[in-house]
């Protein structure tokens, strides 16, 4: 009972610290100097350089979803609606979530490892000594960069996933590509894409804050850096998966 109580208190404390860190990182975004160079640097390193990972994820996700959907619908005689199912599923759910998970593994881990290494080597203490706020200098640019780039990567993934699905429907399933496109355009709404982008903004915020938080909490040298990196990826991934359900419940399915 005592152990459970301590675990609960530790969990509540961590949640509170993460929320405080998130609000502080938002607050310092609007404080001069704006660190535009660091924001652009993170946009390129963490966003643009993540495009190959998102590309591969979207290609095979769109392909396998089309393949499975076509043959499942074919059993009922409804294979004509493959384009509809693929378009809505990719844009509203699969691409935003899978992009978030991939970026969590690639970028969230690097945030935790980099900041954690700075913590154990006392470089963050040195920033305090020179009058530099670590949250504004290290975390705020990362938050801005991911909140900008994750929706862009999601939109890129939407396009690639649907295009990949169209190719699989044509080449593998032998479905007329014009039929695939017609059903896609008939069922896919602008809101389907926008709702996925709204989720991705929150996912970007989650990855940046969680990765930075566990980096700042790092203790114990190289072993502690590895432990913090693992925790950052696991926690961010769980939050993405859990919050996706609640976002799907909160956001309307259609605006019609």
């Amino acid at each position: 009972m005592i152990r459970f109580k301590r675990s609960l208190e530790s969990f509540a404390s961590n949640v509170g610290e993460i929320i405080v860190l998130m609000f502080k990182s938002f607050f310092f975004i609007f404080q001069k100097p704006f660190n535009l160079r660091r924001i652009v640097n993170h946009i390129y390193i963490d966003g643009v350089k993540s495009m190959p990972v998102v590309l591969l994820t979207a290609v095979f996700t769109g392909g396998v979803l089309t393949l499975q959907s076509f043959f499942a619908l074919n059993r009922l005689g409804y294979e004509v609606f493959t384009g509809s199912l693929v378009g809505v599923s990719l844009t509203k759910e699969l691409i935003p979530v899978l992009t978030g998970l991939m970026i969590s593994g690639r970028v969230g881990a690097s945030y935790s490892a980099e900041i954690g290494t700075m913590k154990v080597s006392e470089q963050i203490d040195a920033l305090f000594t020179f009058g530099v706020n670590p949250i504004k200098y290290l975390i705020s640019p990362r938050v801005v960069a991911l909140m900008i780039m994750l929706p862009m990567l999601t939109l890129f993934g939407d396009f690639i996933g649907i295009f990949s699905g169209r190719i699989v429907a044509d080449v593998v399933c032998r479905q007329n590509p014009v039929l695939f496109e017609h059903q896609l355009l008939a069922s896919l709404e602008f809101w389907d894409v926008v709702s996925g982008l709204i989720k991705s903004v929150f996912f970007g915020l989650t990855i940046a804050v969680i990765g930075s938080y566990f980096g700042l909490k790092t203790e114990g040298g190289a072993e502690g850096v590895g432990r913090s990196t693992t925790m950052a990826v696991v926690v961010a991934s769980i939050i993405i998966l859990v919050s996706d359900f609640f976002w799907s419940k909160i956001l309307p399915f259609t605006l019609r």
Side-chain angles (χ1 to χ4, degrees), residues 17 60 112 139 147:
E17 290 175 356
F60 290 102
S112 181
I139 301 176
M147 290 183 70

Side-chain angles (χ1 to χ4, degrees), residues 10 15 17 27 41 43 52 54 63-64 70 81 105 122 126 144 156 179 185 188 190 210 219 225 235-236 247:
S10 176
V15 171
E17 290 175 356
F27 174 77
N41 184 55
I43 285 176
V54 176
V64 74
F70 178 84
F81 297 112
E122 299 182 351
V144 174
F156 172 70
L179 180 60
L185 296 176
L188 186 64
F190 180 70
I210 295 298
E219 296 177 349
V225 172
V235 172
W247 278 114

Side-chain angles (χ1 to χ4, degrees), residues 29-236:
I29 288 173
F30 306 101
Q31 301 295 311
K32 295 182 179 180
F34 295 117
N35 293 325
L36 291 178
R37 181 176 298 179
R38 291 185 59 80
I39 292 174
V40 172
N41 184 55
H42 282 296
I43 285 176
Y44 174 72
I45 294 176
D46 305 328
V48 176
K49 285 194 171 184
S50 296
M51 290 180 69
V53 175
V54 176
L55 174 67
L56 287 173
T57 302
V59 164
F60 290 102
T61 299
V64 74
L65 178 63
T66 301
L67 192 65
Q68 297 288 2
S69 299
F70 178 84
F71 289 109
L73 292 172
N74 185 51
R75 297 175 182 175
L76 304 173
Y78 296 138
E79 66 275 7
V80 65
F81 297 112
T82 300
S84 302
L85 178 60
V86 170
V88 175
S89 298
L90 286 178
T91 55
K92 290 181 75 73
E93 294 298 334
L94 289 177
I95 294 299
V97 172
L98 291 178
T99 299
L101 293 176
M102 297 304 294
I103 299 302
S104 175
R106 181 187 181 275
V107 177
S110 70
Y111 284 1
S112 181
E114 182 180 348
I115 296 176
T117 301
M118 294 179 68
K119 177 69 182 301
V120 298
S121 61
E122 299 182 351
Q123 294 180 51
I124 291 182
D125 294 333
L127 290 176
F128 272 118
T129 302
F130 288 107
V132 178
N133 189 304
I135 296 178
K136 177 173 179 54
Y137 184 75
L138 295 174
I139 301 176
S140 293
R142 288 172 162 85
V143 169
V144 174
L146 279 194
M147 290 183 70
I148 292 173
M149 283 308 300
L150 206 61
M152 297 297 101
L153 291 172
T154 299
L155 196 60
F156 172 70
D158 288 342
F159 174 79
I160 296 298
I162 291 174
F163 184 72
S164 172
R166 180 188 181 278
I167 293 176
V168 170
D170 180 19
V171 176
V172 180
C173 302
R174 302 298 181 183
Q175 184 181 56
N176 189 333
V178 176
L179 180 60
F180 182 92
E181 294 171 0
H182 175 74
Q183 290 299 323
L184 173 68
L185 296 176
S187 61
L188 186 64
E189 300 178 8
F190 180 70
W191 174 247
D192 296 331
V193 178
V194 172
S195 62
L197 298 181
I198 292 173
K199 293 178 183 180
S200 66
V201 172
F202 176 79
F203 296 161
L205 172 65
T206 299
I207 294 167
V209 172
I210 295 298
S212 301
Y213 171 76
F214 282 101
L216 292 173
K217 296 286 286 184
T218 301
E219 296 177 349
E223 182 180 351
V225 172
R227 187 164 52 247
S228 295
T229 301
T230 301
M231 287 296 297
V233 174
V234 171
V235 172

